Coordinates of all heavy atoms in Angstrom, one line a residue:
M893 N 110.0 23.7 84.2 CA 108.7 23.1 84.5 C 108.5 21.9 83.6 O 108.7 21.9 82.4 CB 107.6 24.1 84.1 CG 107.5 25.3 84.9 SD 106.4 25.1 86.3 CE 107.2 26.2 87.4
K894 N 108.2 20.8 84.2 CA 108.2 19.5 83.5 C 106.9 19.4 82.8 O 106.8 19.1 81.6 CB 108.3 18.4 84.5 CG 109.7 18.2 85.1 CD 110.5 17.4 84.2 CE 111.9 17.2 84.8 NZ 112.8 16.5 84.0
T895 N 105.7 19.6 83.4 CA 104.5 19.2 82.8 C 103.7 20.5 82.5 O 103.9 21.6 83.1 CB 103.6 18.3 83.7 OG1 103.3 19.0 84.9 CG2 104.4 17.0 84.0
L896 N 102.7 20.4 81.7 CA 101.8 21.5 81.3 C 101.0 21.9 82.5 O 100.8 23.1 82.8 CB 100.9 21.1 80.2 CG 100.1 22.2 79.5 CD1 101.1 23.3 79.0 CD2 99.3 21.6 78.4
S897 N 100.6 20.9 83.3 CA 99.7 21.2 84.5 C 100.6 22.0 85.5 O 100.0 22.9 86.2 CB 99.1 20.0 85.1 OG 100.2 19.1 85.6
A898 N 101.8 21.7 85.7 CA 102.7 22.5 86.6 C 102.9 23.9 86.1 O 102.9 24.8 86.9 CB 104.1 21.8 86.7
R899 N 102.9 24.1 84.8 CA 103.0 25.5 84.3 C 101.7 26.2 84.5 O 101.7 27.4 84.9 CB 103.3 25.5 82.8 CG 104.8 25.1 82.6 CD 105.2 25.3 81.1 NE 104.6 24.3 80.3 CZ 104.9 24.1 79.0 NH1 105.7 25.0 78.4 NH2 104.4 23.1 78.3
Y900 N 100.6 25.5 84.4 CA 99.3 26.2 84.6 C 99.1 26.5 86.1 O 98.6 27.6 86.4 CB 98.1 25.3 84.2 CG 97.9 25.3 82.7 CD1 97.5 24.1 82.1 CD2 97.9 26.4 82.0 CE1 97.3 24.1 80.7 CE2 97.7 26.4 80.6 CZ 97.4 25.3 80.0 OH 97.1 25.3 78.6
R901 N 99.6 25.6 87.0 CA 99.5 25.9 88.4 C 100.4 27.2 88.7 O 99.9 28.1 89.5 CB 100.0 24.8 89.2 CG 99.0 23.7 89.6 CD 99.4 22.8 90.7 NE 100.7 22.1 90.4 CZ 100.8 21.0 89.7 NH1 99.8 20.5 89.1 NH2 102.0 20.5 89.5
Q902 N 101.6 27.3 88.2 CA 102.4 28.4 88.4 C 101.8 29.7 87.8 O 101.8 30.8 88.5 CB 103.8 28.2 87.8 CG 104.7 29.4 88.0 CD 105.1 29.7 89.5 OE1 105.0 28.8 90.3 NE2 105.4 30.9 89.7
A903 N 101.2 29.6 86.6 CA 100.6 30.8 86.0 C 99.4 31.2 86.9 O 99.2 32.4 87.0 CB 100.1 30.4 84.6
H904 N 98.6 30.3 87.4 CA 97.4 30.7 88.2 C 97.9 31.3 89.5 O 97.3 32.3 90.0 CB 96.6 29.5 88.5 CG 95.7 29.1 87.4 ND1 94.4 28.8 87.5 CD2 96.0 28.9 86.1 CE1 93.9 28.4 86.3 NE2 94.9 28.5 85.4
K905 N 99.0 30.8 90.1 CA 99.6 31.4 91.3 C 100.0 32.8 91.0 O 99.7 33.7 91.8 CB 100.8 30.5 91.8 CG 101.5 31.1 93.0 CD 102.7 30.1 93.3 CE 103.6 30.7 94.3 NZ 104.8 29.9 94.5
E906 N 100.7 33.1 89.9 CA 101.2 34.4 89.6 C 100.0 35.3 89.3 O 100.1 36.5 89.7 CB 102.1 34.3 88.4 CG 103.4 33.6 88.6 CD 104.2 33.3 87.4 OE1 103.8 33.8 86.3 OE2 105.3 32.7 87.5
A907 N 99.0 34.8 88.7 CA 97.8 35.7 88.4 C 97.1 36.1 89.7 O 96.7 37.2 89.9 CB 96.8 35.0 87.5
K908 N 97.0 35.1 90.7 CA 96.4 35.4 91.9 C 97.2 36.5 92.7 O 96.6 37.4 93.3 CB 96.2 34.2 92.8 CG 95.2 33.2 92.3 CD 95.1 32.0 93.1 CE 94.2 30.9 92.5 NZ 94.2 29.7 93.2
W909 N 98.5 36.4 92.7 CA 99.3 37.4 93.4 C 99.1 38.7 92.7 O 99.1 39.8 93.4 CB 100.8 37.0 93.3 CG 101.1 36.1 94.5 CD1 101.1 34.7 94.5 CD2 101.5 36.5 95.8 NE1 101.4 34.2 95.8 CE2 101.7 35.3 96.6 CE3 101.7 37.7 96.4 CZ2 102.1 35.3 97.9 CZ3 102.1 37.7 97.7 CH2 102.3 36.6 98.5
A910 N 99.1 38.8 91.4 CA 99.0 40.1 90.6 C 97.6 40.7 90.9 O 97.5 41.9 91.2 CB 99.1 39.8 89.1
I911 N 96.5 39.9 90.9 CA 95.2 40.5 91.2 C 95.2 40.9 92.7 O 94.6 42.0 93.0 CB 94.1 39.4 90.9 CG1 94.0 39.2 89.4 CG2 92.8 39.8 91.5 CD1 93.2 38.1 89.0
G912 N 95.7 40.1 93.6 CA 95.8 40.5 95.0 C 96.5 41.8 95.2 O 96.1 42.7 96.0
L913 N 97.6 42.0 94.6 CA 98.4 43.2 94.7 C 97.6 44.4 94.1 O 97.6 45.5 94.7 CB 99.8 43.1 94.0 CG 100.7 44.2 94.3 CD1 101.1 44.3 95.8 CD2 102.0 44.1 93.5
A914 N 96.9 44.2 93.0 CA 96.1 45.3 92.4 C 95.0 45.7 93.3 O 94.7 46.9 93.5 CB 95.6 44.8 91.0
L915 N 94.3 44.7 93.9 CA 93.2 45.0 94.9 C 93.8 45.7 96.1 O 93.1 46.6 96.6 CB 92.5 43.7 95.2 CG 91.6 43.1 94.1 CD1 91.1 41.8 94.6 CD2 90.6 44.0 93.7
A916 N 94.9 45.2 96.6 CA 95.5 45.9 97.8 C 95.9 47.4 97.5 O 95.7 48.2 98.3 CB 96.8 45.1 98.2
Y917 N 96.4 47.6 96.3 CA 96.7 49.0 95.9 C 95.4 49.8 95.8 O 95.4 51.0 96.3 CB 97.4 49.0 94.5 CG 97.6 50.5 94.1 CD1 98.5 51.3 94.8 CD2 97.0 51.0 92.9 CE1 98.7 52.6 94.4 CE2 97.2 52.3 92.5 CZ 98.1 53.1 93.2 OH 98.3 54.4 92.9
F918 N 94.3 49.3 95.3 CA 93.0 50.0 95.3 C 92.6 50.3 96.7 O 92.1 51.4 96.9 CB 92.0 49.2 94.5 CG 90.6 49.9 94.5 CD1 90.4 51.0 93.7 CD2 89.6 49.5 95.4 CE1 89.2 51.7 93.8 CE2 88.4 50.1 95.4 CZ 88.2 51.2 94.6
V919 N 92.6 49.4 97.6 CA 92.2 49.6 98.9 C 93.1 50.7 99.6 O 92.6 51.5 100.3 CB 92.2 48.3 99.7 CG1 92.1 48.5 101.2 CG2 91.2 47.3 99.2
W920 N 94.4 50.6 99.4 CA 95.3 51.6 99.9 C 94.9 53.0 99.4 O 94.8 53.9 100.1 CB 96.8 51.3 99.5 CG 97.7 52.4 99.7 CD1 97.9 53.5 99.0 CD2 98.6 52.5 100.9 NE1 98.9 54.3 99.5 CE2 99.3 53.7 100.7 CE3 98.8 51.8 102.0 CZ2 100.2 54.2 101.6 CZ3 99.8 52.2 102.9 CH2 100.5 53.4 102.7
W921 N 94.7 53.1 98.1 CA 94.4 54.4 97.5 C 93.1 54.9 98.0 O 93.0 56.1 98.4 CB 94.3 54.3 96.0 CG 94.1 55.6 95.3 CD1 95.0 56.5 94.9 CD2 92.8 56.1 95.0 NE1 94.3 57.6 94.4 CE2 93.0 57.4 94.5 CE3 91.5 55.7 95.2 CZ2 91.9 58.2 94.1 CZ3 90.4 56.5 94.8 CH2 90.7 57.7 94.3
Y922 N 92.1 54.1 98.1 CA 90.7 54.5 98.5 C 90.8 54.9 99.9 O 90.2 56.0 100.3 CB 89.7 53.3 98.3 CG 88.3 53.7 98.5 CD1 87.6 54.3 97.5 CD2 87.7 53.6 99.7 CE1 86.3 54.7 97.7 CE2 86.4 54.0 99.9 CZ 85.7 54.5 98.9 OH 84.4 54.9 99.1
C923 N 91.4 54.1 100.8 CA 91.4 54.5 102.2 C 92.2 55.7 102.5 O 91.8 56.6 103.3 CB 92.0 53.3 103.0 SG 90.9 51.9 103.1
S924 N 93.4 55.8 101.8 CA 94.2 57.0 102.1 C 93.6 58.3 101.5 O 93.7 59.4 102.0 CB 95.6 56.8 101.6 OG 95.7 56.6 100.3
A925 N 92.9 58.1 100.3 CA 92.4 59.3 99.7 C 91.1 59.8 100.4 O 90.9 61.0 100.6 CB 92.0 59.0 98.2
Y926 N 90.3 58.9 100.9 CA 89.1 59.4 101.6 C 89.2 59.4 103.1 O 88.4 60.2 103.7 CB 87.9 58.5 101.2 CG 87.5 58.7 99.7 CD1 87.9 57.7 98.7 CD2 86.9 59.8 99.3 CE1 87.6 58.0 97.4 CE2 86.6 60.1 98.0 CZ 86.9 59.1 97.0 OH 86.6 59.3 95.7
A927 N 90.0 58.7 103.7 CA 90.1 58.7 105.2 C 90.8 59.9 105.7 O 90.6 60.5 106.7 CB 90.8 57.4 105.7
F928 N 91.8 60.4 104.9 CA 92.6 61.5 105.3 C 92.2 62.8 104.6 O 92.9 63.8 104.8 CB 94.1 61.2 105.0 CG 94.6 60.1 105.9 CD1 94.8 58.9 105.3 CD2 94.9 60.3 107.2 CE1 95.3 57.8 106.1 CE2 95.4 59.3 108.0 CZ 95.6 58.0 107.4
A929 N 91.2 62.8 103.8 CA 90.7 64.1 103.2 C 90.0 64.9 104.3 O 89.4 64.4 105.2 CB 89.7 63.7 102.1
P930 N 90.2 66.2 104.2 CA 89.6 67.1 105.2 C 88.1 67.1 105.1 O 87.5 67.0 104.0 CB 90.2 68.5 104.8 CG 90.6 68.4 103.4 CD 91.0 67.0 103.2
N931 N 87.4 67.2 106.2 CA 86.0 67.2 106.3 C 85.4 68.5 105.7 O 84.4 68.4 104.9 CB 85.5 66.9 107.7 CG 85.8 65.6 108.2 OD1 86.0 64.7 107.4 ND2 85.9 65.4 109.5
N932 N 85.9 69.6 106.1 CA 85.3 70.9 105.7 C 86.4 71.7 105.1 O 87.2 72.3 105.8 CB 84.7 71.6 106.9 CG 83.8 72.7 106.4 OD1 83.7 73.0 105.2 ND2 83.0 73.3 107.3
V933 N 86.4 71.8 103.8 CA 87.5 72.5 103.1 C 87.3 74.0 103.2 O 88.3 74.7 103.1 CB 87.5 72.0 101.6 CG1 88.6 72.7 100.8 CG2 87.7 70.5 101.5
H934 N 86.1 74.4 103.4 CA 85.9 75.9 103.3 C 86.3 76.6 104.6 O 86.6 77.8 104.5 CB 84.4 76.1 103.1 CG 83.8 75.5 101.9 ND1 84.2 75.9 100.6 CD2 83.0 74.5 101.7 CE1 83.6 75.2 99.7 NE2 82.8 74.3 100.3
D935 N 86.5 75.9 105.7 CA 86.9 76.6 106.9 C 88.4 77.0 106.9 O 88.7 78.1 107.2 CB 86.6 75.8 108.1 CG 85.1 75.7 108.4 OD1 84.4 76.5 107.9 OD2 84.7 74.7 109.2
S936 N 89.2 76.1 106.6 CA 90.7 76.4 106.6 C 91.4 75.5 105.6 O 90.8 74.5 105.1 CB 91.2 76.1 108.0 OG 91.1 74.8 108.3
L937 N 92.6 75.8 105.3 CA 93.4 75.0 104.4 C 93.9 73.8 105.2 O 94.1 73.8 106.4 CB 94.6 75.8 103.9 CG 94.3 77.0 103.0 CD1 95.6 77.8 102.7 CD2 93.7 76.5 101.7
P938 N 94.0 72.6 104.5 CA 94.5 71.4 105.1 C 96.0 71.6 105.5 O 96.7 72.4 104.9 CB 94.3 70.3 104.1 CG 94.3 71.0 102.8 CD 93.7 72.4 103.1
E939 N 96.4 70.8 106.5 CA 97.8 70.8 106.9 C 98.6 70.2 105.8 O 98.2 69.2 105.2 CB 98.0 70.0 108.2 CG 99.4 70.1 108.8 CD 99.4 69.5 110.1 OE1 98.4 69.2 110.8 OE2 100.6 69.2 110.6
L940 N 99.8 70.8 105.5 CA 100.6 70.3 104.4 C 101.8 69.6 104.9 O 102.4 70.0 105.9 CB 101.0 71.5 103.5 CG 99.8 72.3 102.8 CD1 100.4 73.4 102.0 CD2 99.0 71.4 102.0
Y941 N 102.2 68.6 104.2 CA 103.4 67.8 104.4 C 104.2 67.9 103.1 O 103.8 67.3 102.1 CB 103.1 66.4 104.8 CG 102.3 66.2 106.0 CD1 100.9 66.2 105.9 CD2 102.8 66.2 107.3 CE1 100.1 66.1 107.1 CE2 102.0 66.1 108.4 CZ 100.7 66.1 108.3 OH 99.9 66.0 109.4
W942 N 105.4 68.5 103.2 CA 106.2 68.7 102.0 C 105.5 69.4 100.9 O 105.6 69.1 99.7 CB 106.8 67.4 101.5 CG 107.8 66.7 102.5 CD1 108.9 67.3 103.0 CD2 107.7 65.4 103.0 NE1 109.5 66.4 103.9 CE2 108.8 65.2 103.9 CE3 106.8 64.4 102.8 CZ2 109.0 64.1 104.5 CZ3 107.0 63.2 103.4 CH2 108.1 63.1 104.3
G943 N 104.5 70.2 101.2 CA 103.8 71.0 100.3 C 102.5 70.3 99.7 O 101.8 70.8 98.9
F944 N 102.2 69.1 100.3 CA 101.0 68.4 99.8 C 100.1 68.1 101.0 O 100.6 67.8 102.1 CB 101.4 67.0 99.2 CG 102.3 67.2 98.0 CD1 103.7 66.8 98.1 CD2 101.8 67.6 96.8 CE1 104.5 66.9 97.0 CE2 102.6 67.7 95.7 CZ 104.0 67.4 95.8
P945 N 98.8 68.0 100.7 CA 97.9 67.5 101.8 C 98.2 66.0 102.1 O 98.7 65.3 101.2 CB 96.5 67.7 101.2 CG 96.6 68.4 99.9 CD 98.1 68.4 99.5
L946 N 97.9 65.6 103.3 CA 98.3 64.2 103.7 C 97.6 63.2 102.8 O 98.2 62.2 102.4 CB 97.9 64.0 105.1 CG 98.3 62.6 105.7 CD1 99.8 62.4 105.6 CD2 97.8 62.5 107.1
W947 N 96.3 63.4 102.4 CA 95.6 62.4 101.6 C 96.3 62.2 100.2 O 96.4 61.1 99.7 CB 94.1 62.7 101.4 CG 93.9 64.0 100.6 CD1 93.8 65.2 101.1 CD2 93.8 64.1 99.2 NE1 93.6 66.1 100.1 CE2 93.6 65.4 98.9 CE3 93.8 63.1 98.2 CZ2 93.4 65.9 97.6 CZ3 93.6 63.6 96.9 CH2 93.4 64.9 96.6
F948 N 96.7 63.4 99.7 CA 97.4 63.3 98.3 C 98.8 62.7 98.5 O 99.1 61.9 97.6 CB 97.5 64.7 97.8 CG 98.1 64.7 96.4 CD1 97.3 64.5 95.3 CD2 99.5 65.0 96.2 CE1 97.9 64.5 94.0 CE2 100.0 65.0 94.9 CZ 99.2 64.7 93.8
L949 N 99.5 63.0 99.5 CA 100.8 62.4 99.7 C 100.7 60.9 99.8 O 101.5 60.2 99.2 CB 101.5 63.0 100.9 CG 102.9 62.6 101.3 CD1 103.8 63.2 100.2 CD2 103.3 63.1 102.6
L950 N 99.8 60.4 100.6 CA 99.7 59.0 100.8 C 99.1 58.3 99.6 O 99.6 57.2 99.1 CB 98.7 58.7 102.0 CG 99.3 59.0 103.4 CD1 98.3 58.8 104.4 CD2 100.5 58.2 103.6
A951 N 98.1 58.8 98.9 CA 97.4 58.2 97.8 C 98.1 58.3 96.5 O 98.1 57.3 95.7 CB 96.0 58.8 97.6
C952 N 98.8 59.4 96.3 CA 99.4 59.6 94.9 C 100.9 59.6 94.9 O 101.5 59.6 93.8 CB 98.8 60.9 94.4 SG 97.0 60.9 94.2
I953 N 101.6 59.7 96.0 CA 103.0 59.7 96.0 C 103.6 58.5 96.7 O 104.4 57.7 96.1 CB 103.6 61.0 96.6 CG1 103.1 62.2 95.7 CG2 105.1 61.0 96.7 CD1 103.4 63.6 96.2
I954 N 103.3 58.3 98.0 CA 103.9 57.2 98.7 C 103.3 55.9 98.3 O 104.0 54.9 98.2 CB 103.6 57.5 100.2 CG1 104.5 58.7 100.7 CG2 104.0 56.3 101.1 CD1 104.2 59.1 102.1
G955 N 102.0 55.8 98.0 CA 101.4 54.6 97.6 C 102.0 54.0 96.4 O 102.3 52.8 96.3
P956 N 102.1 54.7 95.3 CA 102.7 54.1 94.1 C 104.1 53.7 94.3 O 104.5 52.7 93.7 CB 102.6 55.3 93.1 CG 101.4 56.1 93.5 CD 101.4 56.0 95.0
V957 N 104.9 54.4 95.1 CA 106.3 54.0 95.3 C 106.3 52.7 96.1 O 107.0 51.7 95.7 CB 107.0 55.1 96.1 CG1 108.4 54.6 96.6 CG2 107.2 56.3 95.3
I958 N 105.4 52.5 97.1 CA 105.4 51.3 97.9 C 104.9 50.1 97.0 O 105.6 49.1 97.1 CB 104.4 51.5 99.1 CG1 105.1 52.4 100.2 CG2 104.1 50.1 99.7 CD1 104.1 52.7 101.3
F959 N 103.9 50.3 96.2 CA 103.4 49.2 95.5 C 104.2 48.9 94.2 O 104.2 47.8 93.7 CB 101.9 49.5 95.1 CG 101.0 49.1 96.2 CD1 100.7 50.1 97.1 CD2 100.5 47.9 96.4 CE1 99.8 49.8 98.2 CE2 99.7 47.5 97.5 CZ 99.4 48.5 98.4
T960 N 105.0 49.8 93.8 CA 106.0 49.5 92.7 C 107.1 48.6 93.3 O 107.5 47.7 92.7 CB 106.6 50.8 92.1 OG1 105.6 51.6 91.6 CG2 107.7 50.5 91.1
L961 N 107.5 49.0 94.5 CA 108.5 48.1 95.2 C 108.0 46.7 95.5 O 108.6 45.7 95.3 CB 109.0 48.7 96.5 CG 109.8 50.0 96.3 CD1 110.1 50.7 97.7 CD2 111.1 49.7 95.6
L962 N 106.7 46.6 95.9 CA 106.1 45.4 96.2 C 105.9 44.6 94.9 O 106.1 43.3 94.9 CB 104.7 45.5 96.8 CG 104.7 46.0 98.3 CD1 103.3 46.2 98.8 CD2 105.4 44.9 99.1
C963 N 105.6 45.2 93.8 CA 105.5 44.6 92.5 C 106.9 44.0 92.1 O 107.0 42.9 91.6 CB 105.0 45.5 91.4 SG 104.8 44.8 89.8
G964 N 108.0 44.7 92.3 CA 109.3 44.2 92.0 C 109.7 43.0 92.8 O 110.2 42.1 92.3
L965 N 109.3 43.1 94.1 CA 109.6 41.9 95.0 C 108.7 40.7 94.6 O 109.2 39.6 94.6 CB 109.3 42.3 96.4 CG 110.2 43.3 97.1 CD1 109.7 43.7 98.4 CD2 111.6 42.7 97.2
M966 N 107.5 41.0 94.1 CA 106.6 39.9 93.7 C 107.2 39.2 92.4 O 107.3 38.0 92.3 CB 105.2 40.4 93.4 CG 104.3 39.3 92.9 SD 102.6 40.0 92.6 CE 102.9 41.0 91.2
V967 N 107.7 40.0 91.5 CA 108.3 39.5 90.3 C 109.6 38.7 90.6 O 109.8 37.6 90.0 CB 108.6 40.6 89.3 CG1 109.4 40.1 88.1 CG2 107.2 41.1 88.7
K968 N 110.3 39.2 91.6 CA 111.6 38.5 91.9 C 111.4 37.2 92.6 O 112.1 36.2 92.4 CB 112.5 39.5 92.7 CG 113.8 38.9 93.1 CD 114.7 39.9 93.8 CE 116.0 39.3 94.0 NZ 117.1 40.2 94.3
Y969 N 110.5 37.2 93.6 CA 110.3 36.0 94.4 C 109.2 35.1 94.1 O 109.2 33.9 94.4 CB 110.2 36.4 95.9 CG 111.5 37.1 96.4 CD1 111.5 38.4 96.7 CD2 112.6 36.3 96.6 CE1 112.7 39.0 97.1 CE2 113.8 36.9 97.0 CZ 113.8 38.2 97.3 OH 115.0 38.8 97.7
I970 N 108.1 35.5 93.5 CA 106.9 34.7 93.2 C 107.0 34.2 91.7 O 106.7 33.0 91.5 CB 105.6 35.5 93.4 CG1 105.6 36.0 94.9 CG2 104.4 34.6 93.2 CD1 105.5 35.0 96.0
Y971 N 107.2 35.1 90.8 CA 107.2 34.7 89.4 C 108.4 33.8 89.1 O 109.5 34.0 89.6 CB 107.2 35.9 88.5 CG 105.9 36.7 88.5 CD1 105.0 36.6 89.5 CD2 105.6 37.4 87.4 CE1 103.8 37.3 89.4 CE2 104.4 38.1 87.3 CZ 103.5 38.0 88.3 OH 102.3 38.7 88.3
Q972 N 108.2 32.9 88.1 CA 109.3 32.0 87.7 C 109.4 32.1 86.2 O 108.4 32.2 85.5 CB 109.0 30.5 88.0 CG 109.0 30.3 89.5 CD 108.7 28.8 89.8 OE1 108.5 28.0 88.9 NE2 108.7 28.4 91.1
D973 N 110.7 32.1 85.8 CA 110.9 32.1 84.3 C 110.7 30.7 83.8 O 111.3 29.7 84.3 CB 112.4 32.5 84.1 CG 112.7 32.7 82.6 OD1 111.7 33.0 81.8 OD2 113.8 32.7 82.2
M974 N 109.8 30.6 82.8 CA 109.5 29.2 82.3 C 109.4 29.3 80.8 O 109.0 30.3 80.2 CB 108.2 28.7 82.9 CG 107.0 29.4 82.6 SD 105.5 28.6 83.2 CE 105.2 29.6 84.6
S975 N 109.7 28.2 80.2 CA 109.7 28.2 78.7 C 108.2 28.0 78.3 O 107.5 27.2 78.9 CB 110.5 27.0 78.2 OG 110.3 26.8 76.8
L976 N 107.8 28.6 77.2 CA 106.5 28.4 76.7 C 106.4 27.3 75.6 O 105.4 27.0 75.1 CB 106.0 29.7 76.1 CG 105.8 30.8 77.2 CD1 105.3 32.1 76.5 CD2 104.9 30.4 78.3
D977 N 107.6 26.7 75.3 CA 107.7 25.6 74.3 C 107.1 24.4 74.9 O 107.2 24.1 76.1 CB 109.1 25.3 73.9 CG 109.7 26.5 73.2 OD1 108.9 27.3 72.6 OD2 110.9 26.7 73.2
I978 N 106.4 23.6 74.1 CA 105.8 22.3 74.5 C 106.9 21.2 74.5 O 107.4 21.0 73.4 CB 104.6 22.0 73.7 CG1 103.5 23.0 73.9 CG2 104.0 20.6 74.1 CD1 102.3 22.9 72.9
D979 N 107.1 20.6 75.6 CA 108.1 19.5 75.6 C 107.3 18.2 75.2 O 106.3 17.9 75.7 CB 108.6 19.3 77.0 CG 109.4 20.4 77.5 OD1 110.0 21.2 76.7 OD2 109.5 20.6 78.7
E980 N 107.9 17.5 74.2 CA 107.3 16.3 73.8 C 108.0 15.1 74.4 O 109.0 14.5 73.9 CB 107.4 16.2 72.3 CG 106.6 17.3 71.6 CD 106.4 17.1 70.1 OE1 106.5 15.9 69.7 OE2 106.1 18.1 69.4
D981 N 107.6 14.8 75.7 CA 108.2 13.8 76.4 C 107.8 12.4 76.0 O 108.5 11.4 76.0 CB 107.9 13.9 77.9 CG 108.6 15.2 78.5 OD1 109.6 15.6 77.9 OD2 108.1 15.7 79.5
T982 N 106.5 12.3 75.6 CA 106.0 11.0 75.2 C 105.8 11.0 73.7 O 105.3 11.9 73.1 CB 104.6 10.8 75.8 OG1 103.7 11.8 75.4 CG2 104.7 10.8 77.3
P983 N 106.2 9.9 73.0 CA 106.1 9.8 71.6 C 104.6 9.5 71.2 O 103.9 8.9 72.0 CB 107.0 8.6 71.2 CG 107.1 7.8 72.5 CD 107.0 8.8 73.6
D984 N 104.2 10.0 70.1 CA 102.9 9.8 69.6 C 102.7 8.3 69.3 O 103.5 7.7 68.6 CB 102.5 10.6 68.4 CG 102.5 12.1 68.7 OD1 102.1 12.4 69.8 OD2 102.9 12.9 67.9
E985 N 101.6 7.7 69.7 CA 101.3 6.3 69.4 C 100.1 6.1 68.6 O 99.2 6.8 68.5 CB 101.2 5.5 70.7 CG 102.5 5.5 71.5 CD 102.3 4.8 72.8 OE1 101.2 4.2 73.1 OE2 103.3 4.7 73.5

């Protein structure tokens, strides 16, 4: 990165992607936890998938795996390795 403003632009871009991924994870968790929860628990047991109710499987097992992979992809393709040292391109006058 040549200039300080270019580094700030990249840092802001990375921060927006991180916040967006965190918000997407919250929406995923909220929707899968509450949309797939059984309406009346007292009547019967919920249907199980691999020993877990569907809402738990989506919200607490599959969701974290998916978003961990998305986080790794984000770090690989969006984030850039940059030096935090200040380049002194112009001499002090």
Side-chain angles (χ1 to χ4, degrees):
M893 297 265 150
K894 290 271 185 189
T895 64
L896 191 60
S897 63
R899 287 192 282 187
Y900 282 141
R901 273 195 306 276
Q902 179 63 28
H904 284 228
K905 177 182 167 185
E906 293 172 4
K908 288 177 187 176
W909 274 93
I911 290 170
L913 190 64
L915 291 174
Y917 177 65
F918 176 75
V919 169
W920 169 278
W921 182 89
Y922 189 85
C923 290
S924 61
Y926 289 107
F928 295 103
N931 292 336
N932 196 352
V933 181
H934 301 293
D935 289 344
S936 64
L937 291 174
E939 188 174 346
L940 299 179
Y941 301 90
W942 296 306
F944 299 107
L946 182 59
W947 67 268
F948 183 83
L949 184 67
L950 290 174
C952 299
I953 297 175
I954 294 175
V957 170
I958 288 172
F959 280 90
T960 300
L961 292 173
L962 288 175
C963 183
L965 289 172
M966 180 180 68
V967 168
K968 183 173 181 162
Y969 293 110
I970 304 295
Y971 285 26
Q972 292 181 0
D973 189 21
M974 67 177 100
S975 173
L976 297 178
D977 295 334
I978 297 173
D979 296 333
E980 296 194 22
D981 293 334
T982 59
D984 293 326
E985 294 178 2

